[in-house]
Amino acid sequence: MLQTNLKRIIALSLTSLLAYGVSSCKTEEKLPDLSDKLAGAVDVVTAPSGNYIYALNSDYERRYDKGSILIINPDAPEGSQKVKAISVPRMGRSMAIAQNLMIVTYADPEAKEAGRLQIWDLTSELEPQIVAEMDVGCQPLNAVLAPSSPYFTVSCKGGWILMGKNPRNTADARVTLDLVRGYEWDRRALYFYETGGKTYLFGFPTDLESLDAADQTLEDSKTYVAADDTIIEGPNGVPDGFELTEAARRRTILASPYQMFIYPVSDEEVASQGPQDPTVPAFNTFRFIAAGTYRKPSQSNAELKFINFTLLEANGQPSITEQITTPTLHRYRTNFWEAKTGPEQNPAIFYLSQRGDYGSESNNVVRMLLSDAGLSNIATVKFEDLFTVSRVYGFAIDRDNGGRYPGDFEFATIGGEPMLFVNSFRDLIYFGNAPFYSVTRKLLEAPAVNQDVPSSFDSTGFEASFYQLAVSKSGKVLTSSYYGNVLYLFDGSPGVSIKDQLPTRIQ
């Protein structure tokens, strides 16, 4: 099945229509005009100025003719926050902003292995202009733009990764998009790292459905040697259960939920230059490298790193479930939702939200400090040699409700106070018997980051199904209600309790 999908995805992605304005010959459904109404708002992002917030309507219920991007002025009087509605395709999935551009993805409502991508110029934040629009030969999960280099990426269901170049799509530098990898597992949390003239893409595993994958304490005391098909004593960073038997080595997807990838963007662009091999699919800028096997691993296999780290409590000590005394045991991690730059504005520091199993200590926002010395040898470097991980949110004092599953998060400094805002949500399909949603504000000034109980607005209501969030320059916090077809606007000011306020409803 993987090979069949691969052939189809390669064919679709390499024949994508990259020019803006290509029309479709499909017959449009006769449905009502969405106008500026709310319909399955799936994402919200803050404009570069901080004055406006964009909300993406998915219309996942197929009630209207199209989807839309709503431009919201969070500081406008109640009832007049909706500034403008821009018509876009139905089934919006994600939005992200960088370099004064906004990248938006859409699922195809009629095909499970197809989607669409738009890139908008935000020079005029109230009049965004499309600079590129293209088909994507897989179902998008997320897309992000590099901070300054001319790259963007799309991650899709099934672990497919596409790499793009020239998002501004000028006459001298046309936009390109190529399928580059098939890592087997969904990876929504994406982060571009730029250093020393090079660009890397990090991607972290995401369990989008019933959270079957959970953090595990696993042993690593032996090593499989592919060269002579033997097993020797000594750790190699790979849990023994994923490599010591022939059956485990065949089923690499069992290990995928515990692996991040490190894709060397700029190095791969150089390696892809020159005459193309006529026996493999053609590409524009980036070549495709398929996964190998344990006996014959490819470069794609070497880019996958097992994620393991130990989290400390506020007192600096591991909590009960984190205490590991056996040297060969390690805590392997999975299910990350979002990756973002932190308030330090240091590219070597970024943050991840993790969504663990119910009642566990794996629901956190963690700080990732990168030591990039190991990036020069991606093939052999281990995760623990690259990253120092510390918890920012998810301490015992933060876990006042076992139903918190952190998703989107934002950092903001409001009134001189650095803050972290966290959106927690549960899917009504897989968690319909116990839905829980919350918007939480946590002060970041030490020692408050460890000791102060955060302020949370909690809901178990169907309508208040908070999903993603954005924070304006003035401290207004907007979250989308995916199921309730409404936006909720909070005041995030440090002197105002998130827990006790009644948010403004925008519908």
Side-chain angles (χ1 to χ4, degrees):
M1 177 63 74
L2 184 61
Q3 292 300 322
T4 302
N5 288 344
L6 172 59
K7 292 177 182 177
R8 186 171 188 271
I9 290 170
I10 290 174
L12 285 170
S13 65
L14 296 180
T15 57
S16 297
L17 297 174
L18 301 181
Y20 162 61
V22 176
S23 62
S24 171
C25 60
K26 293 182 180 179
T27 302
E28 292 291 329
E29 296 177 275
K30 300 299 182 182
L31 296 171
D33 182 20
L34 176 59
S35 185
D36 67 350
K37 294 183 283 293
L38 272 297
V42 71
D43 206 353
V44 288
V45 292
T46 307
S49 68
N51 295 323
Y52 303 100
I53 297 176
Y54 301 105
L56 178 61
N57 266 320
S58 69
D59 187 31
Y60 73 99
E61 295 179 311
R62 298 174 66 92
R63 297 169 55 194
Y64 298 99
D65 58 342
K66 293 182 181 296
S68 72
I69 295 174
L70 290 177
I71 304 178
I72 304 296
N73 180 356
D75 296 311
E78 186 170 350
S80 60
Q81 294 98 341
K82 289 186 285 189
V83 177
K84 187 175 184 179
I86 302 172
S87 179
V88 297
R90 185 189 289 116
M91 297 298 290
R93 295 299 290 266
S94 70
M95 294 194 296
I97 289 177
Q99 301 189 47
N100 219 35
L101 297 171
M102 179 167 64
I103 189 166
V104 188
T105 64
Y106 309 88
D108 189 314
E110 299 177 0
K112 293 183 178 180
E113 296 177 357
R116 196 149 183 84
L117 172 75
Q118 292 179 333
I119 301 176
W120 297 74
D121 186 319
L122 301 180
T123 300
S124 173
E125 294 182 349
L126 294 180
E127 297 289 341
Q129 301 296 314
I130 288 183
V131 294
E133 185 170 8
M134 61 201 77
D135 292 328
V136 178
C138 50
Q139 186 179 150
L141 297 178
N142 199 9
V144 296
L145 297 140
S148 62
S149 52
Y151 303 116
F152 63 96
T153 187
V154 182
S155 67
C156 287
K157 287 282 292 181
W160 304 108
I161 301 296
L162 294 89
M163 185 59 58
K165 189 177 181 184
N166 302 325
R168 293 192 178 279
N169 194 27
T170 64
D172 296 328
R174 304 301 297 178
V175 64
T176 65
L177 183 65
D178 298 296
L179 177 72
V180 295
R181 296 293 187 272
Y183 291 122
E184 290 193 300
W185 195 263
D186 298 342
R187 287 174 171 84
R188 187 189 184 281
L190 306 168
Y191 181 76
F192 275 107
Y193 175 55
E194 300 173 342
T195 179
K198 290 190 175 184
T199 302
Y200 298 85
L201 175 67
F202 303 151
F204 294 84
T206 308
D207 191 344
L208 289 171
E209 297 181 348
S210 55
L211 301 186
D212 294 326
D215 290 358
Q216 293 191 59
T217 300
L218 302 172
E219 184 170 4
D220 175 25
S221 60
K222 294 180 173 62
T223 296
Y224 171 74
V225 182
D228 54 10
D229 193 27
T230 59
I231 296 170
I232 63 174
E233 294 294 326
N236 63 342
V238 180
D240 293 344
F242 296 140
E243 67 167 350
L244 296 190
T245 68
E246 186 176 347
R249 293 193 291 271
R250 285 198 307 267
R251 301 188 66 192
T252 54
I253 196 169
L254 297 178
S256 296
Y258 303 95
Q259 295 173 312
M260 68 167 292
F261 70 77
I262 301 174
Y263 175 79
V265 180
S266 45
D267 286 351
E268 273 297 280
E269 182 180 8
V270 173
S272 302
Q273 295 175 359
Q276 295 192 22
D277 185 344
T279 64
V280 299
F283 57 87
N284 297 291
T285 306
F286 296 95
R287 62 185 178 175
F288 177 83
I289 297 180
T293 65
Y294 264 90
R295 289 298 303 273
K296 296 181 179 180
S298 69
Q299 178 181 321
S300 177
N301 299 90
E303 292 163 355
L304 292 168
K305 307 298 173 185
F306 281 93
I307 307 165
N308 73 81
F309 53 84
T310 299
L311 292 168
L312 303 181
E313 265 298 345
N315 60 7
Q317 299 298 315
S319 54
I320 295 176
T321 60
E322 294 283 318
Q323 289 177 352
I324 300 175
T325 57
T326 304
T328 58
L329 294 179
H330 306 280
R331 189 71 169 162
Y332 290 88
R333 309 290 180 172
T334 187
N335 200 21
F336 299 89
W337 184 263
E338 193 72 77
K340 289 186 176 178
T341 304
E344 302 89 352
Q345 295 301 309
N346 178 349
I349 299 174
F350 64 99
Y351 292 76
L352 290 169
S353 57
Q354 186 188 13
R355 296 162 60 78
D357 48 318
Y358 185 82
S360 75
E361 295 183 33
S362 301
N363 291 291
N364 302 287
V365 175
V366 296
R367 181 180 187 266
M368 311 289 291
L369 173 60
L370 172 67
S371 173
D372 65 2
L375 288 177
S376 60
N377 194 357
I378 294 177
T380 59
V381 69
K382 299 178 184 178
F383 177 91
E384 55 266 40
D385 297 326
L386 279 175
F387 296 100
T388 301
V389 185
S390 55
R391 179 157 45 192
V392 175
Y393 171 80
F395 298 102
I397 200 166
D398 302 330
R399 297 192 295 269
D400 59 326
N401 187 296
R404 297 197 193 283
Y405 289 82
D408 196 14
F409 63 93
E410 293 287 350
F411 293 96
T413 298
I414 304 170
E417 289 275 6
M419 302 176 182
L420 168 66
F421 294 91
V422 182
N423 178 83
S424 293
F425 70 91
R426 299 179 68 180
D427 192 297
L428 283 186
I429 296 175
Y430 298 101
F431 300 100
N433 60 336
F436 179 88
Y437 313 94
S438 70
V439 173
T440 298
R441 182 190 63 212
K442 187 174 180 69
L443 303 180
L444 293 180
E445 285 287 4
V449 66
N450 295 336
Q451 297 180 358
D452 282 358
V453 177
S455 176
S456 296
F457 185 97
D458 301 338
S459 173
T460 56
F462 174 82
E463 183 183 87
S465 50
F466 309 134
Y467 195 75
Q468 305 297 95
L469 57 77
V471 184
S472 73
K473 182 171 64 176
S474 63
K476 298 297 177 59
V477 181
L478 188 72
T479 182
S480 57
S481 174
Y482 182 67
Y483 298 111
N485 299 319
V486 66
L487 301 175
Y488 284 91
L489 187 64
F490 293 85
D491 183 353
S493 303
V496 180
S497 170
I498 292 284
K499 179 178 181 179
D500 298 326
Q501 69 178 270
L502 183 64
T504 299
R505 299 173 75 256
I506 302 174
Q507 58 182 352

